[in-house]
Structures are given as C-alpha cells and as structure tokens.
Amino acid sequence: QVRLVESGGGLVQAGGSLRLSCAASGRSFSSFNNYAMGWFRQAPGKEREFVAAINWDGSADSSNSVKGRFTISRDNDKKTVYLQMNNLTPGDTGVYYCVGDPTSAQAMAIMEYRYLEDWGQGTLVTVSS
C-alpha cells in the first residue's frame, strides 16, 4: 500500500508564500531513499505539469516557471518532502500533487505525468491578485 498525504495549501495573496508538505507511508516507501519525490500541479482546465523534484541526496530539478521562487527539499528520516513557494502569482493557482518514483528527479522533469503511479490526493493553492 502506498500513501502520500499533502498538506499546507490555502488562499494567499500575490507576493505571498506557502509551504507544502507531503508525508509518505506504506510498504513501497519503506525505503524512502530509493524514491525521487516530486511536485506537479494542475490548474483548472489545464494538464498536470511538473513543478519540481528531488533525489534522495538532495539534488533537484524544477521547471523554469518556478525557478528562483520555489524550493523543494526532503527529510529522509521523516519520509517527508516539502515545497517552499515564495513570491506567488495568480498563475501558480492549482491543485498541487505529490508523487514518488524510483527513477530520478531529472527523469520526472521530462516524464509524461501519466506514467507516474504513486500520487497523493492533492492540496489546493489559490493565489489572489
């Protein structure tokens, strides 16, 4: 059984910050270090898109749209991954999903999201102008 639980979403004004968390549990994540962890988001009426991903050793990749504003990190002991989002804009509005994959952050950055299997339920981020 795989379980990813996201938290930290909410309503924030443009220019504000939020920190998302994703806690992993279940047999597949018993070896959390074997998984790259990532964040995708889906705006209303749009496809799910890559935001950022991180390998077990902390090396990471992120989309150009969030570079310099979002930071992904992980705590392997707590089996938790975080997404610190600063200087938010209305364009960042959407449901943010956590996902794990045994490949790499770099692979997740270019992979079609449909090929990823272990998703959380999502947390809604709304940025008002």
Side-chain angles (χ1 to χ4, degrees):
Q1 182 180 357
V2 170
R3 190 161 185 240
L4 295 172
V5 179
E6 301 98 332
S7 61
L11 174 64
V12 64
Q13 287 189 330
S17 298
L18 282 174
R19 189 194 194 205
L20 306 183
S21 299
C22 171
S25 62
R27 186 173 60 185
S28 292
F29 287 107
S30 61
S31 298
F32 185 68
N33 287 12
N34 291 341
Y35 283 79
M37 300 297 298
W39 290 95
F40 282 66
R41 67 186 180 189
Q42 188 164 13
K46 293 189 177 181
E47 288 270 291
R48 195 169 298 190
E49 65 174 2
F50 172 77
V51 175
I54 187 168
N55 295 314
W56 70 273
D57 62 356
S59 57
D61 201 352
S62 61
S63 71
N64 288 334
S65 63
V66 306
K67 272 186 169 67
R69 301 187 300 122
F70 292 11
T71 302
I72 189 170
S73 61
R74 64 191 286 167
D75 185 328
N76 290 332
D77 291 334
K78 294 183 179 178
K79 296 185 181 180
T80 301
V81 61
Y82 306 96
L83 185 68
Q84 177 66 44
M85 305 186 295
N86 298 329
N87 195 20
L88 285 158
T89 72
D92 296 316
T93 293
V95 179
Y96 283 69
Y97 296 93
C98 177
V99 62
D101 194 76
T103 54
S104 69
Q106 290 71 27
M108 293 175 75
I110 61 174
M111 187 182 298
E112 174 65 41
Y113 77 90
R114 294 178 180 85
Y115 294 108
L116 297 168
E117 297 181 343
D118 298 326
W119 296 92
Q121 82 289 350
T123 186
L124 177 62
V125 172
T126 304
V127 184
S128 63
S129 56

